[in-house]
Amino acid sequence: MGTSFSSTCLIDRAGSERAQTQYLDRHAGVVKDQLLEIDSQKYYFDHDGFLYKGEIELDGFVYSFDESTGAMQYGWIERNGERYYYDEEGRKIIGCEYEIEGRDFLFGETGAEVVGPVTRNGGQYYYEALTGKVINSEKQVDGAWYYYQSDGARFGTGWLTLEDGRTVYYDGDNGMLFGEQTIGGSPYLLNISRGGRMAGIVYFDGEVYQISDDGVIQSKKRLPVWKGIDVSVHQGEIDWKAVAESGVQFAFVRAGYLASEDRPIFNPDRLYVQNVLEAQENGISVGAYLYIYNFTQDGVNEGIDSFNEYSTENRIKLDLPVVLDVEDKDYFKPGSDGLGGYDYRTAFVRDGLDYLQSLGYKSGFYTSQNWANNEFDAGRLMNEGYPFWLANWFGNNKDLDPATLSWNKTAQPNIWQFRATGQVPGIAGETDMDYLYWNNMR
């Protein structure tokens, strides 16, 4: 019996640079200018009969063939930093919005995926890489927050109640509004972190607001002394509604700690974000503190940068200062010349406070009365305008009259932590208690 041959075969012909593949039909010869299916894969042989690799337009559509195998490509292809999509027929999607697995994507005139804000069909839209058109959600664009509706069109101007219950106001191209605003001729106070319209009694930026149920400010006034608390993950889950109803007017929340350089420097408190947002939602004025274990200036600055990034990612804004908690005995070495001595430590604290201010925060420092007197010059820093939070508990077993604050320096601290054993509704166990003296704040 003689040898049997198929009627077609692939052959390689040596070229000047590399071997090129052709398709030989026994009856028709070398196949030219045809799209063929071979072993469930599609290939294109050009007008010279060679296997084509790369992108090519055929009959009004653009196709892509693998640079290695020559097989037709489908789905997402990344090329030169851009993403392209080829449908189930291998056709490149160009110049339109196209649905892929239930999500709408936009492709430009070259077929590259469009990412970012887009004006089309008389509206504003936003497309994200990997997930496509933003719908039914908020999105920050160039520092402003917008809402994209069920059809993807950006909400324009007016009040809008979001899925989480917040009623917020969008001012066209300016996006969501925050803080005290006049809208339609009436004054409103909008949550500074998430924009929600406030109601009831609200403590914010040194003022006590009385606000109607529909959000209109009825009155506001400044009280010379506020009573508050400071908390961390050690207080566990907090019922901030109960805390607010008990009369707490402000809170300092631990953002985390700045560790030594052999670990991630900023380590966020597990409940920082939750505590800040829930306290603000219940009308409590909020600041934050960073406990310092790292006593190198570069380390502190790096930790502050990470804190700032973390707060920004979580949409946190504060109306009270971010405070550097300077009290760790292992690193600060009280009673010695460690860390360069008294003047060096004073400058160290100042530099950290200045760095916070350079990022747009109000800044202050916390320490004990002993350290404020003996380890660095707290009085000098306070006279330079940095808010000072003094820890001095005296008997530590009862609430003290705010007028009894005393310190053996000429200037009075701005905040006094007067007790570490406070009992507050909404908090299981004990918590620190504080007074804030607005007349001392600059």
Side-chain angles (χ1 to χ4, degrees):
M1 179 181 291
T3 304
S4 175
F5 294 93
S6 63
S7 61
T8 60
C9 63
L10 287 170
I11 59 174
D12 286 339
R13 298 193 184 278
S16 59
E17 297 182 1
R18 61 184 175 86
Q20 293 181 294
T21 302
Q22 293 181 307
Y23 191 85
L24 181 62
D25 184 283
R26 181 170 182 173
H27 302 289
V30 174
V31 173
K32 298 181 180 182
D33 198 23
Q34 287 192 40
L35 190 64
L36 295 180
E37 183 171 329
I38 305 170
D39 296 332
S40 301
Q41 296 281 357
K42 289 183 179 180
Y43 301 86
Y44 176 70
F45 293 86
D46 66 17
H47 62 277
D48 293 320
F50 292 109
L51 179 66
Y52 191 87
K53 298 176 181 180
E55 200 170 66
I56 189 171
E57 183 175 342
L58 301 172
D59 299 326
F61 296 101
V62 177
Y63 300 84
S64 181
F65 297 90
D66 188 271
E67 294 284 356
S68 176
T69 66
M72 182 181 284
Q73 295 181 294
Y74 306 90
W76 288 105
I77 302 294
E78 186 168 337
R79 188 182 299 121
N80 298 323
E82 302 279 7
R83 296 204 324 148
Y84 302 85
Y85 190 82
Y86 299 82
D87 69 10
E88 66 278 1
E89 299 294 329
R91 298 169 297 191
K92 186 180 186 180
I93 305 302
I94 299 174
C96 66
E97 186 175 87
Y98 189 78
E99 183 178 335
I100 303 170
E101 298 180 351
R103 303 289 307 211
D104 292 329
F105 293 82
L106 185 64
F107 299 91
E109 294 305 314
T110 66
E113 178 190 15
V114 176
V115 175
V118 174
T119 300
R120 59 189 301 264
N121 301 329
Q124 303 288 324
Y125 299 83
Y126 196 94
Y127 294 84
E128 292 186 319
L130 305 179
T131 58
K133 184 163 65 177
V134 174
I135 60 172
N136 296 324
S137 63
E138 299 170 89
K139 180 69 182 177
Q140 188 177 34
V141 182
D142 296 329
W145 285 93
Y146 302 96
Y147 186 82
Y148 294 88
Q149 302 169 91
S150 59
D151 63 351
R154 193 182 79 188
F155 183 80
T157 299
W159 293 102
L160 184 65
T161 299
L162 304 179
E163 289 82 352
D164 61 6
R166 284 177 293 143
T167 297
V168 301
Y169 190 86
Y170 291 97
D171 185 27
D173 290 340
N174 296 318
M176 183 186 293
L177 299 185
F178 302 89
E180 189 170 343
Q181 301 285 345
T182 298
I183 301 170
S186 297
Y188 294 86
L189 183 61
L190 309 174
N191 185 293
I192 60 169
S193 290
R194 300 295 175 95
R197 188 171 63 194
M198 305 297 293
I201 299 175
V202 178
Y203 298 89
F204 171 71
D205 201 25
E207 305 280 358
V208 183
Y209 291 77
Q210 294 280 349
I211 305 176
S212 66
D213 290 342
D214 60 358
V216 177
I217 297 171
Q218 304 299 301
S219 66
K220 66 177 181 178
K221 62 180 179 180
R222 182 174 290 268
L223 298 178
V225 181
W226 284 8
K227 189 174 182 179
I229 58 176
D230 59 273
V231 299
S232 71
V233 68
H234 300 297
Q235 273 67 47
E237 299 274 345
I238 295 174
D239 180 350
W240 284 100
K241 184 175 185 295
V243 171
E245 290 174 347
S246 76
V248 167
Q249 298 161 317
F250 73 94
F252 277 91
V253 173
R254 189 179 78 158
Y257 62 90
L258 306 187
S260 58
E261 292 181 290
D262 58 346
R263 296 175 284 176
I265 292 180
F266 173 64
N267 293 262
D269 186 296
R270 179 174 59 84
L271 294 177
Y272 166 58
V273 174
Q274 176 178 322
N275 279 334
V276 170
L277 297 179
E278 291 185 5
Q280 289 179 337
E281 287 169 4
N282 284 280
I284 295 172
S285 186
V286 181
Y289 69 94
L290 291 164
Y291 192 101
I292 297 181
Y293 292 106
N294 190 308
F295 287 96
T296 66
Q297 201 62 62
D298 287 345
V300 168
N301 290 355
E302 180 182 336
I304 288 172
D305 281 335
S306 298
F307 153 75
N308 180 52
E309 292 171 6
Y310 184 76
S311 296
T312 301
E313 288 169 1
N314 286 282
R315 298 179 63 179
I316 285 180
K317 294 183 180 180
L318 304 164
D319 64 301
L320 294 181
V322 176
V323 175
L324 299 181
D325 184 342
V326 184
E327 59 175 307
D328 188 75
K329 59 182 176 59
D330 292 329
Y331 289 87
F332 214 73
K333 301 176 182 177
S336 74
D337 288 331
L339 196 63
Y342 187 83
D343 290 338
Y344 176 91
R345 293 192 289 265
T346 303
F348 169 84
V349 174
R350 181 190 293 109
D351 289 345
L353 299 176
D354 287 344
Y355 195 69
L356 277 166
Q357 290 183 11
S358 75
L359 297 176
Y361 295 98
K362 304 171 187 175
S363 64
F365 63 98
Y366 166 99
T367 197
S368 68
Q369 181 151 325
N370 176 52
W371 283 34
N373 286 330
N374 301 313
E375 302 308 323
F376 63 98
D377 198 340
R380 179 177 177 182
L381 293 173
M382 187 167 50
N383 287 328
E384 291 173 0
Y386 303 102
F388 172 31
W389 181 5
L390 171 68
N392 192 332
W393 303 334
F394 295 108
N396 198 31
N397 58 0
K398 62 181 179 179
D399 284 357
L400 299 174
D401 186 332
T404 61
L405 170 63
S406 63
W407 188 50
N408 59 347
K409 298 288 181 181
T410 56
Q412 286 287 70
N414 312 94
I415 308 163
W416 176 24
Q417 186 187 79
F418 64 87
R419 185 178 181 186
T421 58
Q423 299 284 335
V424 175
I427 299 178
E430 299 176 338
T431 190
D432 295 332
M433 305 295 299
D434 305 272
Y435 290 120
L436 188 156
Y437 300 85
W438 279 106
N439 291 341
N440 295 350
M441 297 287 278
R442 300 184 184 183

